[in-house]
Amino acid sequence: MSRAAYSHGLDKRPANFQPLTPLSFLARAAQVFPGHVAVIHGRQRMDYAALYARARQLASALARHGIGKGDTVSALLANTPPMIECHYGVPMLGAVLNTINTRLDAATVAFILDHAEARVLIVDSEFAELAREALAKAKVKPVLISYDDPEFPGLGAPLEGIDYEALLAEGDADFAWAMPDDEWDAIALNYTSGTTGNPKGVVYSHRGAYLMCFANSLAAELGQHPVYLWTLPMFHCNGWCFPWTLSAVAGTHVCLRWVRAGEIFRVIATEKVTHLCGAPIVMATLLNAPDADKQPLPHRVRFVTAAAPPPEAVLASMGEAGFEVVHVYGLTEVYGPAVVNAWHAAWDGLPAAERASLKSRQGVRYPGLEDLAVLDPASMKPVPADGATLGEVMFRGNLVMKGYFKNQAATEEAFAGGWFHSGDLGVMHADGYIQLKDRSKDIIISGGENISSIEVEDALYKHPAVKLVAVVARPDARWGEHPCAFVELKDGASVTAEALAAFAAEHLARYKLPRTILFEELPKTSTGKIQKFALRERAKNLT
Amino acid sequence: MSRAAYSHGLDKRPANFQPLTPLSFLARAAQVFPGHVAVIHGRQRMDYAALYARARQLASALARHGIGKGDTVSALLANTPPMIECHYGVPMLGAVLNTINTRLDAATVAFILDHAEARVLIVDSEFAELAREALAKAKVKPVLISYDDPEFPGLGAPLEGIDYEALLAEGDADFAWAMPDDEWDAIALNYTSGTTGNPKGVVYSHRGAYLMCFANSLAAELGQHPVYLWTLPMFHCNGWCFPWTLSAVAGTHVCLRWVRAGEIFRVIATEKVTHLCGAPIVMATLLNAPDADKQPLPHRVRFVTAAAPPPEAVLASMGEAGFEVVHVYGLTEVYGPAVVNAWHAAWDGLPAAERASLKSRQGVRYPGLEDLAVLDPASMKPVPADGATLGEVMFRGNLVMKGYFKNQAATEEAFAGGWFHSGDLGVMHADGYIQLKDRSKDIIISGGENISSIEVEDALYKHPAVKLVAVVARPDARWGEHPCAFVELKDGASVTAEALAAFAAEHLARYKLPRTILFEELPKTSTGKIQKFALRERAKNLT
């Protein structure tokens, strides 16, 4: 028989093959650590037994309302306990959780509800008005559930619909939820906040979400029983899958409705927070907080950041403030972070600037991702690992989305050639670490030379008065384009355009210097990213 | 479209679905931490770049000898670098690694080689004579590879065959190994050391081995860059999958040819070992070492133990010696450990005896295992969670073997009713932790009452003179059976049978007291387990 012997009588069966799903982690945490605090929200404390019971009640109650496999349950919720419960209760039915960015406009929310074919919509009172407007525009008529947060009364008139707690009271805490039929089944639907065209619906699988739990645990070095502060919105890539990840390590969620420095410093101290995630804007919020809002950290706190390459100066200040920054990178399409700046102990001995420079690179594939490359999108061949040649960052493996919901054309385009095309431009360094340069539209071409807007921004960030910077192309009669910098200064700080340009000249080649510098508050997207597209428009129309 | 929408256009493809395999972790470690020490063996040091290169050379060279998918590569190796290299180089070809217990007799090794249809046999000189005898009895004619360890010259005449280093020199360090065709493909074949009948070949999949890497990382709290000492034989359930696990966390393997206390204490200190695994016999070896062999631990060292419920007294002594004991439980059929005594911080405050008692329970399912239960094998219903009702421990999920190689009948029997039947008897406690009682043959039935041999052993272990104990049934004209204790005393210690029985009476009901106590060195299996079946025979024939 020889070579064929391993293919006989060794098939998959329930005893040795079960679908991978993060639901399994919650069931385990509730069994092993039923009394461990799972969720803290203001004065509320919920242990793992209660979280599991409430998730099952939610599933049971939704089932009574006819929700089942393949149904979409949408949510307009803040980082509150119901949002965590939804991450379990909804997929327990084989239904798909669609968390909606609460900062979107009503028309976009209406588009999402219709496109997702929402059967249920769960709304926090803070966003009830947004939901009303969206529902008026939408075609779907979902079952409406209203959550009025007892910790934050009076945020708005609750949405007309079933009260969330009343809904749970209908449900059975011993509800016999089922494992997914297949680990490839959808668990979540996340709409990208595209800057042009309609948002696309990114579909996650149970398998991918499960593997992210393990991968996050290693990449963020969560250990057992971490205490995790919710500075990252859970509507953003399902909070990078941390709502599920915490169950794998029996951690504690510390909810947070609003990202405000004082409250963040307070709960880090009182709840002994060990980990938090967020965009660099959250780091800026912490660093630039008034002294009255700051508190010493009780211990070293791990801050996992992504979304934009962190400016070197910010990284250095965070270290001084007692945070250990873990730099990750990803997109909605790869479950949040799928790249991590894996740190080498040997780098600890380098000068601060060099350390910050190494830390600002995006890094290497996540444990759990099978491949990461910088490819020439035309030839699909890797660019030289020289730290200079630009290519497109591409991903391959189990931490990549199933595809775009009801959008076969976009799915095929994104997966052309067997890789997920991120649309991000970057370089491969000799040591295998990738570094993002700009999206193609962020490259400034001046006198035929490519200028990286990130490089110019990094130089300006080094100035002590600078809080936020965005550099975009401004049309230039002579050079084609030149770098135009929009600068937000720290409270009480001041610097002139001339002084700032002179400062930048110490760090940049002459042709890269911003020839236009404007001081103003920067426009930001609903997820806290600087709206470069708006600034690009402004730069175009400057006279 | 509604409910069907999630099943359209969202299929698996190379960009978003790759087979799970631990090979991926080595490739990642070699890329991210090429200069980190992967393997220490005596004076040898090998970094991750070198380990990956040598594994690829091995794969490439084996391919030149005609080895490919579905071929078995057998190994009679100690815990040395080639053994680690085989864990990667062999499955890189889609071939299956069959590590053979080096303490078996030649007839059993011959049976294994024939049953496994070994195409290659790699042999350490220490076991060359065993291999020669086995090959003389076996029908297969594998390609012979001989490893003569430069750190331990003169262990025996090397086997006639290709020198291991010469083989590697034939291979290409850039060999383009392929991911498995399917994550369900076989990666390893491990023969159980059954006490009756022929050994059965347990087949592992790439998927299971991959998930064990994550699960081990969490269960043993490896963190990043652990330093792992090889006290557990790698031929035993593939060393509980730690040869693969270390790559997921870029850890350092510290090889160890023989389990000797002096060398263990020495390398723990010099190489800063953080983790080791082993049967309780290894703990006994460490605790009972002469003072000259002992060295203070440089820091708290995690000792992961399994194979038999650790006696309470041993657990307490290990804690005093500076080891943090993690108690796990499993079988060859579940990739090594698949149950862990997950520790509660609140238990730290309990009295030592209570702590040890809690620690001696086997515990809860591993992260990565979907279900663990104590079932009545007749009804397949769970026994009451009362800590008293005996049932059979059963497993379900992705950490369960594919089945027994070429043994459909045994596979069907093991998987009857949708669960893997461990053959181990245990109870379920109210808090969901399982505790092994005896295999049915280890239960002593005296006057119609069941007596747990483990309970009697635990009582005897509390005596300070006792090193090892085994309690078995001895036929008894009046009572049917009575407990018969075989006792090995610590060097220089002494106690009479009468005194020991009186001591035991403080801890045991009268009917459970051993009515026969014999002092002698206990016979052990090749994996260090006490050979209870031999003692059972002796007890039967005592006059």
Side-chain angles (χ1 to χ4, degrees):
Chain A
M1 36 208 308
S2 190
R3 293 194 169 184
Y6 287 103
S7 0
H8 292 300
L10 299 167
D11 299 329
K12 298 173 192 170
R13 37 175 111 207
N16 63 19
F17 185 93
Q18 289 285 328
L20 302 176
T21 169
L23 301 176
S24 173
F25 290 129
L26 177 61
R28 182 179 185 274
Q31 187 217 323
V32 180
F33 298 106
H36 191 79
V37 177
V39 182
I40 294 172
H41 178 50
R43 292 154 304 176
Q44 296 178 19
R45 290 269 184 296
M46 192 196 317
D47 63 22
Y48 266 100
L51 174 59
Y52 186 43
R54 285 174 60 87
R56 291 163 89 178
Q57 282 179 281
L58 175 59
S60 164
L62 289 175
R64 289 177 191 213
H65 286 272
I67 302 307
K69 178 161 182 178
D71 287 334
T72 303
V73 173
S74 298
L76 271 168
L77 291 168
N79 283 351
T80 53
M83 186 63 138
I84 299 169
E85 290 155 13
C86 283
H87 275 81
Y88 294 97
V90 172
M92 278 178 179
L93 297 170
V96 181
L97 178 63
N98 166 232
T99 62
I100 301 176
N101 186 330
T102 57
R103 297 162 198 157
L104 293 173
D105 59 285
T108 307
V109 173
F111 169 85
I112 289 174
L113 292 173
D114 280 340
H115 190 268
E117 306 175 30
R119 297 276 320 269
V120 175
L121 175 62
I122 307 176
V123 180
D124 185 291
S125 294
E126 186 180 354
F127 317 113
E129 196 47 42
L130 171 64
R132 280 187 201 97
E133 286 176 43
L135 287 163
K137 293 174 200 283
K139 292 184 199 72
V140 289
K141 301 286 172 217
V143 175
L144 301 181
I145 316 286
S146 165
Y147 172 64
D148 201 45
D149 187 346
E151 295 291 317
F152 293 85
L155 290 178
L159 191 68
E160 304 64 34
I162 306 166
D163 174 72
Y164 182 80
E165 290 298 333
L167 179 83
L168 256 65
E170 291 176 29
D172 176 3
D174 294 321
F175 180 67
W177 61 277
M179 297 280 277
D181 298 328
D182 189 303
E183 65 194 40
W184 192 246
D185 284 354
I187 191 170
L189 173 64
N190 289 296
Y191 283 82
T192 58
S193 50
T195 48
T196 55
N198 282 322
K200 287 178 288 202
V202 173
V203 181
Y204 292 171
S205 71
H206 281 258
R207 173 183 168 100
Y210 176 91
L211 294 172
M212 269 298 276
C213 294
F214 280 136
N216 272 333
S217 299
L218 297 197
E221 297 190 45
L222 293 181
Q224 266 293 337
H225 302 312
V227 179
Y228 181 89
L229 177 62
W230 272 108
T231 32
L232 180 78
M234 282 188 237
F235 62 67
H236 186 62
C237 316
N238 296 106
W240 299 353
C241 299
F242 277 87
W244 296 308
T245 300
L246 274 264
S247 289
V249 289
T252 300
H253 301 262
V254 181
C255 291
L256 188 76
R257 180 173 284 272
W258 300 302
V259 173
R260 289 177 184 168
E263 176 68 0
I264 293 173
F265 278 110
R266 193 186 68 73
V267 295
I268 287 177
T270 59
E271 307 298 356
K272 300 190 173 51
V273 167
T274 58
H275 293 76
L276 65 164
C277 298
I281 184 78
V282 179
M283 295 195 283
T285 301
L286 294 176
L287 292 175
N288 299 315
D291 285 344
D293 282 352
K294 290 188 180 174
Q295 286 193 32
L297 304 188
H299 44 242
R300 202 106 184 127
V301 174
R302 208 161 269 156
F303 191 110
V304 186
T305 189
E312 295 179 17
V314 170
L315 284 172
S317 304
M318 285 293 283
E320 284 159 24
F323 291 95
E324 185 180 334
V325 175
V326 179
H327 180 202
V328 299
Y329 152 67
L331 305 90
T332 304
E333 286 86 343
V334 294
Y335 293 78
V339 174
V340 58
N341 181 289
W343 194 249
H344 288 230
W347 296 345
D348 286 337
L350 297 174
E354 241 175 288
R355 282 205 312 273
S357 169
L358 285 167
K359 180 71 92 177
S360 72
R361 306 189 304 170
Q362 277 61 40
V364 296
R365 63 186 167 104
Y366 234 47
L369 184 73
E370 278 63 30
D371 223 338
L372 171 73
V374 180
L375 304 180
D376 174 336
S379 68
M380 290 302 280
K381 295 226 166 87
V383 301
D386 57 9
T389 311
L390 271 185
E392 186 173 356
V393 177
M394 302 208 195
F395 299 77
R396 170 143 71 172
N398 298 301
L399 303 184
V400 174
M401 65 168 178
K402 296 181 65 167
Y404 296 113
F405 192 52
K406 301 192 297 187
N407 195 338
Q408 191 73 30
T411 302
E412 295 303 331
E413 194 185 331
F415 288 153
W419 292 77
F420 168 64
H421 297 237
S422 71
D424 287 328
L425 297 184
V427 299
M428 178 64 80
H429 286 279
D431 63 357
Y433 281 57
I434 70 159
Q435 182 161 18
L436 288 195
K437 296 295 172 180
D438 302 62
R439 288 182 165 261
S440 46
K441 55 183 175 297
D442 289 334
I443 291 280
I444 301 155
I445 305 175
S446 190
E449 297 282 353
N450 285 355
I451 299 172
S452 158
S453 64
I454 291 176
E455 187 183 356
V456 181
E457 287 163 7
D458 262 350
L460 296 174
Y461 264 118
K462 291 187 203 291
H463 192 284
V466 169
K467 183 176 172 195
L468 286 175
V469 175
V471 171
V472 298
R474 181 180 174 190
D476 183 298
R478 180 162 180 197
W479 302 106
E481 295 176 346
H482 73 243
C484 168
F486 293 86
V487 178
E488 192 173 321
L489 294 179
K490 289 180 187 163
D491 292 351
S494 72
V495 64
T496 62
E498 290 69 31
L500 193 54
F503 175 84
E506 294 171 30
H507 301 280
L508 291 174
R510 195 179 171 74
Y511 75 95
K512 295 179 179 174
L513 288 178
R515 296 162 59 94
T516 312
I517 298 183
L518 298 162
F519 297 97
E520 56 181 66
E521 196 186 338
L522 304 190
K524 299 173 194 79
T525 70
S526 50
T527 55
K529 289 187 203 173
I530 297 167
Q531 287 188 303
K532 276 206 168 179
F533 64 96
L535 295 173
R536 226 172 271 123
E537 284 307 302
R538 282 210 51 216
K540 249 186 235 166
N541 300 318
L542 285 173
T543 49
Chain B
M1 37 209 305
S2 191
R3 291 192 170 186
Y6 287 101
S7 358
H8 291 301
L10 299 167
D11 300 328
K12 298 172 190 170
R13 39 175 111 207
N16 63 19
F17 185 93
Q18 289 286 329
L20 303 175
T21 170
L23 301 176
S24 172
F25 291 129
L26 177 60
R28 182 180 185 274
Q31 186 216 325
V32 179
F33 298 107
H36 191 79
V37 177
V39 182
I40 295 173
H41 179 50
R43 292 153 303 176
Q44 296 179 19
R45 290 269 185 294
M46 192 195 317
D47 63 23
Y48 266 100
L51 174 59
Y52 186 42
R54 285 174 60 88
R56 291 163 90 179
Q57 281 179 280
L58 175 59
S60 164
L62 289 174
R64 288 177 191 213
H65 285 272
I67 302 307
K69 178 161 183 179
D71 287 334
T72 302
V73 174
S74 298
L76 271 168
L77 291 169
N79 282 351
T80 52
M83 186 63 138
I84 300 169
E85 290 155 12
C86 282
H87 275 81
Y88 294 97
V90 172
M92 279 177 178
L93 296 171
V96 180
L97 178 63
N98 166 231
T99 63
I100 300 176
N101 185 330
T102 56
R103 297 162 197 157
L104 294 173
D105 59 283
T108 307
V109 173
F111 170 84
I112 290 173
L113 292 174
D114 279 341
H115 190 269
E117 305 176 30
R119 297 277 320 269
V120 174
L121 176 61
I122 307 177
V123 180
D124 184 290
S125 294
E126 186 180 355
F127 317 114
E129 197 47 42
L130 172 64
R132 279 185 203 99
E133 286 176 41
L135 287 163
K137 293 174 199 283
K139 293 184 197 73
V140 290
K141 301 285 171 217
V143 175
L144 301 181
I145 315 287
S146 166
Y147 172 64
D148 201 46
D149 186 346
E151 295 291 317
F152 292 85
L155 290 177
L159 191 69
E160 304 63 35
I162 306 165
D163 174 71
Y164 182 79
E165 291 298 334
L167 179 83
L168 256 66
E170 291 176 30
D172 175 4
D174 293 322
F175 180 65
W177 61 277
M179 297 280 276
D181 297 329
D182 188 303
E183 64 195 40
W184 192 247
D185 283 354
I187 190 170
L189 173 64
N190 289 296
Y191 282 83
T192 58
S193 50
T195 48
T196 56
N198 282 323
K200 286 177 288 198
V202 172
V203 182
Y204 292 171
S205 71
H206 281 258
R207 173 183 168 101
Y210 176 91
L211 293 173
M212 269 299 275
C213 294
F214 280 137
N216 272 333
S217 299
L218 296 197
E221 298 190 45
L222 293 181
Q224 267 292 338
H225 302 313
V227 179
Y228 181 89
L229 177 62
W230 272 108
T231 32
L232 180 78
M234 281 188 237
F235 63 66
H236 187 60
C237 315
N238 296 106
W240 300 352
C241 299
F242 277 88
W244 297 307
T245 301
L246 273 266
S247 289
V249 289
T252 300
H253 301 262
V254 181
C255 291
L256 188 75
R257 180 174 283 271
W258 300 303
V259 173
R260 290 179 184 167
E263 176 68 0
I264 293 173
F265 278 110
R266 194 187 67 73
V267 294
I268 287 177
T270 58
E271 307 297 355
K272 300 190 174 51
V273 168
T274 58
H275 294 76
L276 65 165
C277 298
I281 185 77
V282 180
M283 295 196 283
T285 301
L286 294 176
L287 293 175
N288 299 315
D291 284 345
D293 282 352
K294 290 189 180 174
Q295 285 194 33
L297 304 188
H299 45 241
R300 203 109 183 122
V301 175
R302 208 161 269 155
F303 191 110
V304 186
T305 189
E312 295 178 17
V314 171
L315 284 171
S317 304
M318 285 292 284
E320 284 159 25
F323 291 95
E324 185 181 333
V325 176
V326 178
H327 181 202
V328 300
Y329 152 67
L331 305 89
T332 304
E333 286 86 344
V334 295
Y335 293 79
V339 175
V340 58
N341 181 289
W343 195 248
H344 287 230
W347 297 345
D348 285 337
L350 296 174
E354 241 175 289
R355 282 206 314 273
S357 168
L358 285 167
K359 180 71 91 177
S360 72
R361 306 188 305 170
Q362 277 62 40
V364 296
R365 62 185 166 105
Y366 234 47
L369 184 73
E370 277 64 31
D371 222 340
L372 171 74
V374 180
L375 303 181
D376 174 335
S379 68
M380 291 301 281
K381 295 224 167 89
V383 301
D386 57 10
T389 311
L390 272 185
E392 186 174 356
V393 178
M394 303 209 194
F395 299 78
R396 171 142 71 173
N398 298 302
L399 304 184
V400 174
M401 66 169 177
K402 296 181 67 168
Y404 295 114
F405 191 52
K406 302 192 297 187
N407 194 339
Q408 190 75 27
T411 302
E412 294 304 330
E413 195 185 332
F415 289 152
W419 291 78
F420 168 65
H421 298 239
S422 72
D424 287 328
L425 297 183
V427 299
M428 177 63 81
H429 287 279
D431 64 356
Y433 281 57
I434 69 159
Q435 183 161 19
L436 287 196
K437 296 295 171 179
D438 301 60
R439 287 183 164 261
S440 47
K441 57 183 173 297
D442 289 335
I443 291 282
I444 300 156
I445 305 176
S446 190
E449 297 283 352
N450 285 355
I451 299 172
S452 158
S453 64
I454 291 177
E455 187 183 355
V456 181
E457 288 163 6
D458 262 349
L460 296 174
Y461 264 118
K462 291 186 203 293
H463 193 285
V466 170
K467 183 177 172 194
L468 285 176
V469 174
V471 172
V472 299
R474 180 179 174 190
D476 182 299
R478 180 161 179 198
W479 302 107
E481 297 176 345
H482 73 243
C484 169
F486 293 85
V487 178
E488 191 173 322
L489 294 178
K490 288 180 187 163
D491 292 351
S494 73
V495 64
T496 63
E498 292 67 32
L500 193 54
F503 175 84
E506 294 170 31
H507 301 281
L508 291 174
R510 195 178 170 74
Y511 76 95
K512 295 180 179 173
L513 288 178
R515 297 161 58 95
T516 311
I517 298 182
L518 298 162
F519 296 98
E520 55 181 67
E521 196 185 340
L522 305 189
K524 299 173 194 81
T525 70
S526 51
T527 55
K529 289 186 201 172
I530 296 166
Q531 286 187 303
K532 276 206 168 180
F533 65 96
L535 295 173
R536 226 173 272 123
E537 284 307 303
R538 282 211 50 215
K540 250 187 234 165
N541 300 318
L542 285 174
T543 49

